[in-house]
Every structure is written in structure tokens, then in C-alpha cells.
């Protein structure tokens, strides 16, 4: 068979004329190196590649065999183990794991890369695709997240913001420097909700990411938020979008922080919006920890996390009658069906049908 000079090909990874001491281990390691190269050529993130390679090693350790010895039953056994072990994984996570094993098998069995030929020559057998419709978890539900994760009610949201503001006042009355980061974090949570942002999106914001909206001058210089670190798709850079300001209270809260509090962090001409006391950019981990601390103090469910503020933004806009397509564009969802998963309000069709039934019932009573 003619060798194809393609990234990840066996002949470009294995050294010609070299007989390793442990051939099976050497070929397996070479397969992983080849898969890494193939994924890098597709511009996938290094973190994504590493997690996939680690998962293949984990599956190999579970089976105790090499890829050219894998059987379809190994997939079923591993899925059962993942779902029944202490602290079982979610259905969607297990499916993701198995899909990655399937991708590795697709790579190995693609004739262009030469791994089938290499294994047949050295071991008398070759890898096959062990993942198929019969042993892969089906994607039967549009939403597979934890059911306890939800949007906050308006009352809970107000209570959360009030509690965050109280931490500022307590620290300030006590004369502690902690009031500055407390004020920063209270404002950050309002911005997450006020513009429907993801955790990474808000952490990466700079001053220059806010600008005026000529169609809504009442918001001043905070009429629009330019998101530069939106959720990326495979092999692509972060997606960008502009989120228009919809609530005046959010713009006012941000303006107060930027004009009166942020300068006290001593960042000078640096643009980062949420500096730490040492002048670094705030981390996503800090946002999660601070949210969890406030959540626990308020006695809210442990499953709630910062992303629930984004859920709340979508839900409350829809409940207030915002056009679903507008909300979809605001939060950067490629599909309207994704936006609908976050909402608790019914569709126009459902609500109109309900109204018709209620009106008909009321008329029948007279």
C-alpha cells in the first residue's frame, strides 16, 4: 500500500529499522503520538488533545489489552463500570468518553494512516471500530444536565445580590481592606446576570469591552458589552459577540464600580476589569468559590453555580416577553433550541393555546 505523508501516519511516527524491546508498548505509544499530531493539524486545543489521550490510556488500563486487541464488549463493560462506580458519572459524560474512544478507533482504522497495516504485520491482527449503535449510549433527551441545576427565582436573585452588597458594608464598617474585593465580586455577579455571561467570558473582560449604544444612549458608555472570549467550537478560536444592555440598574452598578472602586486596586493604565489585590486578572476558580460561599450562607441548593446566573438572565428575559431570537443572539447560542433549554417559560404557541383554553373555559361559565 502506498504510504501517505499525512500527519499521524504510522510511518512518520515509527522509526524504520528499529526493533524495540517491547514492541506492543512502542506501537501503542506511537499510536497516541500519531493521534496527537493528527489532532494538532486540525487546530484542536492542547488541553482537548491531552484529555483525549489520557482517556485512551485510561480505557487501555481498564481493558488490560492494546487497541488491536479491543473488542466491542470492552466498551459495554467500561460503560457499566463508569455508571455503577461510587460517584457515578452522568449519562452525557459517559457518552462523551465513549465517543472519544470511537474517534481514536476511527483514526486507527483509517487506511490513510497505515496503523492497520502496521499492526497486521507485527501482531497478526489489527484494530477495528469497537463502538457501534448497539453499545453506545443514546442521546435521547435534549437536556442531560443535572435536573437540580436551575435558574434562580427573582426573589432568590435579589436575596443573593443583597447578601453580596452586605459583605461590602460589613467589611467597610469594620475598616477592613476586604471591602474592595467584596465590592468587585458583588458587581461581577451583577454583570454575569445583567449581560448573561459565562464565567470565562466575564473573567476576561476589559474596560474597552464596554461601549455606547447609539440606539440606547440612556446607558451611557455601558450600552453594549463586547465578548471576546465566547465559547469556542472544536478547532476554532473563541467566538465573539456583542451583548446589548437591557437593564439600567446593571449599567449603573458597573459604572459605580469602574469609576469609584476599581481605581483603588492600583492597576494604572491596565485595562483588566476585575483585578485582584495583587493586580492580576481574577480567576474563574475564584468566581466559583465566592459564589459557592454566598450560596451556602443563604441556604440555597449546593448544585447551583455561577452559570445559573446566565440561566436566570435567559429565563427572566423570556418571561418578560423578550423575542426568543433576540435572547439567542444575546447569549451567543448557535441554535434557538439551545436557548429554550435554559428557559422555564413556555413558547408563544403553548401560551397562546393555553390562553385560548382559559378564555373558552371562562366563556363557558357564563
Amino acid at each position: 500500500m502506498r504510504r501517505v505523508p499525512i500527519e499521524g501516519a504510522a510511518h512518520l511516527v515509527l522509526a524504520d529499522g528499529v526493533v524495540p524491546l517491547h514492541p506492543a508498548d512502542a506501537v501503542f505509544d506511537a499510536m497516541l503520538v500519531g493521534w496527537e499530531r493528527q489532532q494538532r493539524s486540525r487546530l484542536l486545543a492542547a488541553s482537548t488533545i491531552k484529555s483525549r489521550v489520557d482517556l485512551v490510556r485510561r480505557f487501555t488500563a481498564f481493558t488490560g489489552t492494546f487497541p488491536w486487541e479491543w473488542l466491542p464488549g470492552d466498551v459495554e463493560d467500561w460503560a457499566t463500570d463508569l455508571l455503577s462506580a461510587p460517584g457515578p458519572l452522568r449519562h452525557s459524560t459517559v457518552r462523551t468518553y465513549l465517543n472519544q474512544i470511537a474517534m481514536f478507533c476511527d483514526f486507527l482504522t483509517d487506511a490513510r494512516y497505515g496503523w492497520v497495516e502496521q499492526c497486521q504485520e507485527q501482531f497478526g491482527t489489527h484494530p477495528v471500530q469497537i463502538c457501534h449503535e448497539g453499545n453506545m449510549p443514546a442521546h435521547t433527551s435534549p437536556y442531560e444536565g443535572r435536573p437540580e441545576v436551575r435558574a434562580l427565582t427573582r426573589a432568590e436573585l435579589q436575596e443573593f445580590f443583597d447578601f453580596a452588597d452586605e459583605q461590602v458594608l460589613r467589611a467597610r464598617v469594620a475598616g477592613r481592606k476586604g471591602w474592595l474585593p467584596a465590592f468587585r465580586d458583588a458587581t461581577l455577579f451583577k454583570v454575569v446576570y445583567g449581560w448573561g455571561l459565562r464565567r470565562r467570558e466575564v473573567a476576561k473582560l476589559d474596560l474597552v469591552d464596554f461601549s455606547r449604544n447609539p440606539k440606547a444612549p440612556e446607558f451611557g458608555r455601558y450600552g453594549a458589552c463586547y465578548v471576546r472570549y465566547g465559547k469556542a467550537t472544536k478547532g476554532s478560536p473563541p467566538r465573539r459577540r456583542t451583548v446589548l444592555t437591557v437593564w439600567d440598574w446593571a449599567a449603573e452598578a458597573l459604572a459605580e464600580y469602574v469609576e469609584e472602586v476599581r481605581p483603588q486596586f492600583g492597576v494604572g493604565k491596565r485595562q483588566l476589569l476585575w483585578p485582584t489585590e495583587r493586580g492580576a486578572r481574577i480567576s474563574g476558580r475564584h468566581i466559583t468559590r465566592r459564589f459557592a460561599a454566598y450560596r451556602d450562607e443563604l441556604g440555597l441548593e449546593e448544585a447551583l453555580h455561577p452559570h445559573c446566573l446566565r440561566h436566570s438572565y435567559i429565563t427572566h428575559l423570556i418571561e418578560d416577553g423578550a423575542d426568543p431570537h433576540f435572547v439567542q443572539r444575546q447569549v451567543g447560542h448557535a441554535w434557538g433550541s439551545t436557548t429554550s433549554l435554559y428557559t422555564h417559560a413556555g413558547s408563544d404557541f403553548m401560551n397562546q393555546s393555553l390562553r385560548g383554553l382559559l378564555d373558552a373555559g371562562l366563556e363557558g361559565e357564563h
Side-chain angles (χ1 to χ4, degrees):
M1 180 179 293
R2 185 175 67 87
R3 292 182 172 184
V4 180
I6 185 174
E7 284 292 345
H11 72 278
L12 297 179
V13 181
L14 292 167
D16 287 335
V18 177
V19 180
L21 184 61
H22 301 287
D25 291 326
V27 170
F28 175 57
D29 289 340
M31 286 176 167
L32 294 179
V33 171
W35 198 36
E36 287 180 4
R37 293 181 181 178
Q38 185 252 14
Q39 293 179 91
R40 283 202 301 270
S41 71
R42 294 163 52 203
L43 304 182
L44 297 184
S47 58
T48 298
I49 297 173
K50 183 180 184 305
S51 67
R52 289 178 175 179
V53 170
D54 290 345
L55 190 75
V56 170
R57 290 190 182 278
R58 181 176 169 185
F59 180 69
T60 303
F62 174 83
T63 64
T65 57
F66 290 105
W68 51 91
E69 301 170 312
W70 290 347
L71 300 171
D74 294 329
V75 175
E76 300 161 17
D77 292 342
W78 196 43
T80 300
D81 184 73
L82 292 173
L83 290 169
S84 60
L89 298 176
R90 285 180 288 177
H91 185 280
S92 59
T93 301
V94 174
R95 187 178 61 254
T96 298
Y97 283 5
L98 298 187
N99 280 336
Q100 292 176 7
I101 299 301
M103 285 189 286
F104 182 60
C105 290
D106 281 340
F107 164 72
L108 295 181
T109 55
D110 189 326
R112 294 174 298 173
Y113 297 100
W115 291 106
V116 168
E117 182 183 10
Q118 186 67 228
C119 291
Q120 190 68 49
E121 180 181 328
Q122 292 205 43
F123 310 116
T125 185
H126 58 81
V128 297
Q129 177 57 267
I130 60 173
C131 302
H132 54 77
E133 185 177 350
N135 63 7
M136 294 285 283
H139 192 168
T140 57
S141 173
Y143 178 72
E144 296 181 331
R146 291 176 294 171
E148 62 269 28
V149 176
R150 58 174 177 81
L152 278 69
T153 66
R154 296 175 193 262
E156 289 173 335
L157 189 68
Q158 189 61 58
E159 186 181 20
F160 184 90
F161 288 157
D162 288 345
F163 183 83
D165 290 339
E166 287 173 10
Q167 308 317 301
V168 181
L169 292 175
R170 289 179 182 177
R172 203 162 190 174
V173 169
R176 301 198 306 267
K177 290 183 178 180
W179 77 268
L180 283 173
F183 199 118
R184 176 202 61 205
D185 293 346
T187 308
L188 183 147
F189 289 132
K190 293 170 186 175
V191 169
V192 171
Y193 171 73
W195 281 269
L197 304 180
R198 299 180 177 91
R199 188 184 68 170
R200 183 169 184 261
E201 292 172 349
V202 73
K204 292 286 190 178
L205 285 176
D206 287 339
L207 287 177
V208 295
D209 293 326
F210 284 89
S211 63
R212 297 180 180 275
N213 179 359
K215 301 297 183 181
E218 61 269 34
F219 298 127
R221 61 166 294 193
Y222 303 102
C225 175
Y226 185 43
V227 176
R228 291 179 292 125
Y229 290 88
K231 188 175 182 180
T233 56
K234 294 178 181 179
S236 70
R239 288 186 291 180
R240 302 188 176 203
R241 72 180 187 280
T242 299
V243 184
L244 303 181
T245 305
V246 296
W247 293 312
D248 54 4
W249 65 263
E252 291 168 1
L254 181 56
E256 180 183 10
Y257 164 75
V258 170
E259 296 165 13
E260 301 180 16
V261 177
R262 181 183 172 278
Q264 299 188 51
F265 281 91
V267 292
K269 294 183 179 181
R270 299 179 63 198
Q271 290 291 307
L272 64 167
L273 184 58
W274 314 110
T276 67
E277 292 174 287
R278 296 185 177 182
R281 188 180 296 276
I282 199 171
S283 69
R285 183 175 300 178
H286 171 84
I287 296 172
T288 299
R289 285 200 302 260
R290 181 74 87 170
F291 181 93
Y294 290 176
R295 175 202 66 202
D296 294 345
E297 287 287 339
L298 291 169
L300 297 172
E301 296 99 312
E302 186 178 348
L304 300 180
H305 47 68
H307 201 71
C308 293
L309 295 175
R310 177 174 159 90
H311 290 215
S312 305
Y313 171 84
I314 299 172
T315 299
H316 297 164
L317 280 181
I318 295 293
E319 288 177 347
D320 289 343
D323 186 289
H325 182 65
F326 170 78
V327 179
Q328 177 189 342
R329 295 288 297 273
Q330 287 280 92
V331 296
H333 286 157
W335 306 101
S337 57
T338 305
T339 306
S340 68
L341 297 179
Y342 288 79
T343 65
H344 298 277
S347 67
D348 288 342
F349 168 76
M350 295 294 290
N351 281 322
Q352 289 172 8
S353 298
L354 172 64
R355 187 71 264 163
L357 288 172
L358 294 176
D359 291 345
L362 290 174
E363 292 174 1
E365 292 178 358
H366 294 292

